[in-house]
Amino acid sequence: ASFDGEGDYISVQDSDNWAFGTGDFTISFWVNLGNVNVHNGFYEQYIDANNFITIYRNSNSNIQFGVNHGGTYLAGYYAAWTPTIDTWHQVIWERKGTNIYLYIDAVQITLTNWATIETSSIPKFATSPNIGKTLVTGSVSYMNGLIDEVRIYNRALSADEIKELYEGGQTAFSITKNASPFSIKQGQ
């Protein structure tokens, strides 16, 4: 999907599948940024400022993953990342046991945290996941660039699976979206 950073995003139907609890999970996608000097929202499930899951890259060159429930961060991780503009990169955030991992282009990246996930249960946020949008520091940030092959697993991927996804490359198929908002319904 192509996003111009001006209010475009994809909303996916809410599902009990997004209730990760204490289980392992993986969120994987390919991204091609058009501008690295702005916040780029990749993924969110947002109810309000105290209840959300978010993945984004901020204008300070950090890619971040955060989970807030009831005003308390259950997980907060970030790493420096300055991607090349107009180049596809695979991003994978993964919970395996009591840890969160980040892989960019199949390479594990060292993370800094402000809240460790440990045994925290990620609740079922009764809201649709959004791709290409996230709330950052009190304002909405939209994706500026391309995002493709978003995959959410209810398990952690093995090192071989991560490598296989990366080496398979970003496919030629993509959806271009020019209207806001666009919804993908389950089963379509």
Side-chain angles (χ1 to χ4, degrees):
S2 178
F3 302 99
D4 63 7
E6 300 295 327
D8 303 334
Y9 64 95
I10 296 171
S11 184
V12 180
Q13 184 175 346
D14 189 25
S15 168
D16 288 340
N17 293 329
W18 316 136
F20 299 123
T22 58
D24 294 349
F25 65 87
T26 304
I27 300 172
S28 169
F29 53 90
W30 285 86
V31 65
N32 184 331
L33 296 179
N35 185 344
V36 295
N37 297 316
V38 297
H39 290 297
N40 277 284
F42 301 135
Y43 176 90
E44 74 167 2
Q45 277 187 277
Y46 179 85
I47 294 176
D48 58 37
N50 294 314
N51 297 282
F52 59 82
I53 298 174
T54 184
I55 299 173
Y56 67 97
R57 184 186 175 279
N58 67 24
S59 57
N60 296 325
S61 302
N62 290 321
I63 186 168
Q64 299 191 16
F65 170 84
V67 178
N68 191 317
H69 180 60
T72 300
Y73 270 94
L74 304 178
Y77 295 84
Y78 68 94
W81 180 45
T82 305
T84 304
I85 293 178
D86 297 325
T87 301
W88 284 103
H89 297 280
Q90 182 195 50
V91 176
I92 294 176
W93 284 94
E94 177 175 76
R95 178 184 190 165
K96 189 180 292 185
T98 59
N99 296 302
I100 295 288
Y101 299 95
L102 169 64
Y103 300 87
I104 297 178
D105 298 335
V107 175
Q108 186 177 341
I109 306 299
T110 300
L111 293 171
T112 302
N113 67 69
W114 68 89
T116 58
I117 198 153
E118 297 176 354
T119 60
S120 295
S121 179
I122 297 176
K124 161 75 171 84
F125 293 111
T127 187
S128 299
N130 295 312
I131 299 166
K133 170 187 173 190
T134 193
L135 185 78
V136 180
T137 61
S139 63
V140 177
S141 293
Y142 297 97
M143 173 77 183
N144 186 310
L146 305 168
I147 193 165
D148 205 1
E149 297 187 29
V150 178
R151 299 173 185 217
I152 301 173
Y153 300 86
N154 62 356
R155 63 185 178 85
L157 299 180
S158 69
D160 287 342
E161 288 173 312
I162 291 170
K163 183 178 176 184
E164 185 178 305
L165 278 176
Y166 177 70
E167 289 177 350
Q170 193 275 332
T171 62
F173 176 78
S174 65
I175 298 171
T176 301
K177 183 210 119 351
N178 294 316
S180 174
F182 178 77
S183 294
I184 297 175
K185 302 272 191 249
Q186 187 173 9
Q188 294 182 346

